[in-house]
Amino acid sequence: MEIIVTTPFMPFSTSDSFLRRLRAVAGSLCVFVAACGGGADAPPPDEGAPTAVAPVITQQPVDLSVTSGQPASFTVAATGTAPLAYQWQRNGATITGATAATYSIAATAPIDTGAVFSAVVSNIAGSATSNNAVLTVTTAAPVLTITQQPADVSVVAGSTASFTVAATCSSGTLNIEWQRNSGVGGAFVAIAGATATSVSVSPAISDSGARFQAALNCSGQSATTSNAAALTVTAPGGVLLDLLPTVGLRDAAHITPANAIDRNADDSFTVITSNRFQKLSADLLSITPLAGTPTGGSTDGPAATATFNGPLGLTHDTAGNIYVADTGNHLIRRIAADGTVTTLAGAAGVTGTADGTGSAARFSSPTGIALGPDGDLYVTDAQNSLIRRVTMAGVVTTYAGSGGGYVDSANPLAAKFAQPYGIAVAANGDVLVADFGNSRVRRILRSGTAAGAVQTLAGNGSTNPDAATPDGIGTAAVIVGPRNMVISGNTLTVRDSATLVRQIDLTTAAVTTFTGTRLHPGTVVDGPPSMSGLSDDGGITTAPAGGFMVTTGRTIHSIDANGVVQIIANDNSGSSTDAGTGVLKQLPLTTPAAPQSSSSAGLTVDPAGNVVVAPAFPTLVRRVSPTGVVTTIAGLSSTSSQEVDGTGSQAQFASLGRGLTHDAAGSLYVADACGVRKIDAQGAVTLLTGQRYNPGSPGSSCGAADGNASTALFRSFLWLTMGTDGNLYVVDTDNYAVRRVDAVGNVTTIAGALHQQGSADGPVATARFLQPQGIATAPDGSLLVLDAGKIRRISADFTTVSTIDTSSVTGQISPTAIAVDADGTMYFGAANGLWSQRLGQTTATRLIPGGPSDAVVLGASPHLTDVIAITVLAPKQLVLVSEGKVLKVTLP
């Protein structure tokens, strides 16, 4: 097709207006010519027209660093045929709407830091991508303002001195660390545990001149230090007696016996303790009453007055209701979220097997209870050997079982169980049963909305707790008396009666031992799976991070995802009333129900000035810092009679409460039954010398023999002191001798003769002791031994034994504890008070008189009774134990 276009005649011109008109005409032709010249008959392009040029970046965006909240802008520049198009990207992804040469963020945030920005510039000829530019967003340093500086303090020795600082942070969290030095120019050292706005100390005269300051920061930034405040300490007008100051301690909560535990939606835990329900906080620091009273009963109503009778099972729903297998009452109960208790099914005190609704139904010692995905409750009716189903309306039906025995069956009502205990329900509705009497774990398959076949999932019925290989697949495994259980995903975790925690894969039926050993029968032991010890009963539930919480008798434990066991709370008070809300970390230094006056206590002050206490009960070695912070160094609050090595709470002691001392490096040494244990600076406990106590044959580990660490023998009552020569000296009471132990545990007798009783001074080889029961080291290296009401002295060269004259003391004092200060003053406690006497002098002074039996009077007119341990805290300051209390004495 030919197209002819005519235009009015114009003179030839190369003017701009002519060229514009020519281009307009050419543009109109494109409407008719395919692709504007793309046709076969189109004329060739005008060789004189300019060629389009692709973009070239001439200005790259640059890295930026800005303060959070401030704007940030990135710019790019390029050359090339117009028009140029821009598209910004962040971390390689297109930013919607960012199509200008500059991209800006109005207000940056910390989340923007590290973001990478680039721009793609394009036109009709191509595109170019800029370099990457990185954005760094810094947080403005917070402003820390000290609003109250610590002030100088003047106090009387023995009273409390407190320093306070106040500060604000414009952002972040205020952190405080208190520090002290020994005087002007001295280096400041952090005070352990002193991180509050105030710090309190109970100073001695020797602390006068010390200075205290606070190091502060806002979430690690803007660090600054307060002014230093001076402490002035003056001597009291007379002897002062007070409790050793402590912070953060509470009486132990009553948790015996802890039969079951259940994890709540907020990660706190509900625990059944005898006839009561208590709540363990999610932070594992407190236990508070929830419902029930110590006295058994079946009363419904408010939490504080409702009563239960030995409940053994509990579960909960998403609304916060708790459902209870009230075993002794043969009831299923509900504790509402507000604490109100109602009976869902059963008749109080009436046993039977009747199905029905509410009070028409009958149970016989229901034990386990679990909530199914269908919203119904599943109950192990132990004495009926049945599995029951209970709706929220209280309708009870028999789900599986036909009485006692062992029968698997496709018909669930033809199957037989034997005293089923724990129960759990899988997500698919299968019911898992701890068939206690058959030593098997059974599974009731779900069939629609009803029970299907009953199978044996694991266990072969063996009741041998010492099976060499208890693990295995299905019926090849040994699960002795399975009790409580919990399900998590595809794994069933079961407590058995052989003190083990077992796990069963619900797909493969493989049985493995998760934690627990049989190394310590009857003893609760912290530690990894290879050494932990649990009792043979108690509850189990899941815990955060893949762990579990379990109860055993009077104890609540955590088990982490690796099977490491740690005691959280322990109550050996024997009390049936609420003693408090404390857990293991918060226990007081002594146990009121077992006063120290009826036994003994080890006591020392370590090189850092911490008071260390090792009472006969509870069996814990604990440290009290100068600011009163109490930490457990080693041991557990239990009634263990075994010696177990380990670190911290993994260690156990058989018989503490007599000898306790330390060396210059800070290691501790404790007398434990028939040997001496060492606790290093990290809390690791090992046997230094002597033999371990064997509770099965108590006499087999005791005796009288010198020798190396593995052959030496001691009797069971030992007192310790560290000599000035770095050796340990031991009073071996029942062997009537004083023994030396070197650094590697070699033992020699230095005074008296093994197992030869008498009362004679003279050369150490012929000297005899009548009933030695205490020892202390004098500044000159001599040893002071309490011996049947006398103070005997072993000379510094260990050649002679003499008796110190205490004839100026009126009455029979019978010293029960002794200590010596750096000036050579002896302090000895007795039933009639606290006494002092300088070495080399014959006059004793009664510092504190004795009081009535079982009475300690504090204050400026004090009285004491039965001082059983004493040590020097500082010049003119002592710590002692009397009547179950750790006390501080300040002298004028």
Side-chain angles (χ1 to χ4, degrees), residues 500-722:
L500 305 179
V501 178
R502 319 293 294 282
Q503 290 193 321
I504 306 174
D505 186 300
L506 294 180
T507 300
T508 65
V511 179
T512 55
T513 299
F514 179 63
T515 195
T517 70
R518 302 189 185 98
L519 297 175
H520 323 286
T523 299
V524 174
V525 178
D526 276 2
S530 60
M531 70 171 291
S532 63
L534 300 168
S535 70
D536 63 355
D537 61 358
I540 185 167
T541 191
T542 59
F548 299 89
M549 296 291 292
V550 301
T551 60
T552 59
R554 300 169 178 262
T555 306
I556 301 173
H557 315 249
S558 69
I559 306 177
D560 71 14
N562 297 314
V564 178
V565 177
Q566 182 177 2
I567 287 184
I568 300 300
N570 183 276
D571 174 23
N572 284 304
S573 66
S575 171
S576 61
T577 60
D578 286 313
T581 61
V583 298
L584 189 63
K585 295 178 181 179
Q586 302 167 314
L587 296 180
L589 289 180
T590 54
T591 304
Q596 305 292 4
S597 59
S598 66
S599 53
S600 52
L603 194 62
T604 193
V605 175
D606 69 18
N610 302 297
V611 175
V612 182
V613 185
F617 185 89
T619 50
L620 293 170
V621 181
R622 307 178 79 187
R623 178 187 291 117
V624 186
S625 76
T627 57
V629 177
V630 181
T631 54
T632 296
I633 302 172
L636 280 172
S637 174
S638 67
T639 56
S640 169
S641 59
Q642 292 194 19
E643 295 182 32
V644 179
D645 286 347
T647 299
S649 64
Q650 296 179 8
Q652 293 224 33
F653 301 93
S655 180
L656 291 180
R658 296 176 182 86
L660 175 64
T661 191
H662 66 275
D663 61 21
S667 292
L668 298 167
Y669 301 85
V670 293
D672 191 11
C674 303
V676 178
R677 313 274 295 280
K678 179 180 179 179
I679 309 173
D680 70 14
Q682 287 70 47
V685 180
T686 54
L687 179 66
L688 174 65
T689 191
Q691 307 300 309
R692 296 189 190 278
Y693 177 73
N694 182 352
S697 304
S700 64
S701 52
C702 298
D706 288 342
N708 61 36
S710 61
T711 60
L713 296 175
F714 298 85
R715 297 292 178 186
S716 59
F717 295 96
L718 308 176
W719 276 261
L720 311 178
T721 189
M722 184 59 64

